[in-house]
Amino acid sequence: DIFSGCENLKHVDLVEGAVLRDTVDALLLDEWRNDMKGKLGAIDRSLPTAPAGDGFDDEGKKAQTVQSWISSVLHKIIHYKA
């Protein structure tokens, strides 16, 4: 886990976040926009409680949490844009 031992990893800044926010704002239904805004903010609620591991034999779950979140956001965008 690349973030093993990173206790202070609690927030993700999106590269090209403005583009992603513009994409979300362009969704046709308010329900879709609200759902996506919730998905985008979910990582900042999940990371603080994800175990960081100790950097040795306990890898933690920070990287897995980020990967799952990215996958979830992409799947939702693809679903709504289809």
Side-chain angles (χ1 to χ4, degrees), residues 21-47:
R21 285 187 290 278
D22 288 347
T23 300
V24 169
D25 288 341
L27 293 173
L28 296 175
L29 299 178
D30 285 338
E31 179 183 346
W32 295 355
R33 287 190 293 273
N34 293 338
D35 186 30
M36 285 306 305
K37 288 175 183 176
K39 285 270 184 223
L40 292 177
I43 192 64
D44 293 336
R45 293 186 297 275
S46 300
L47 274 178

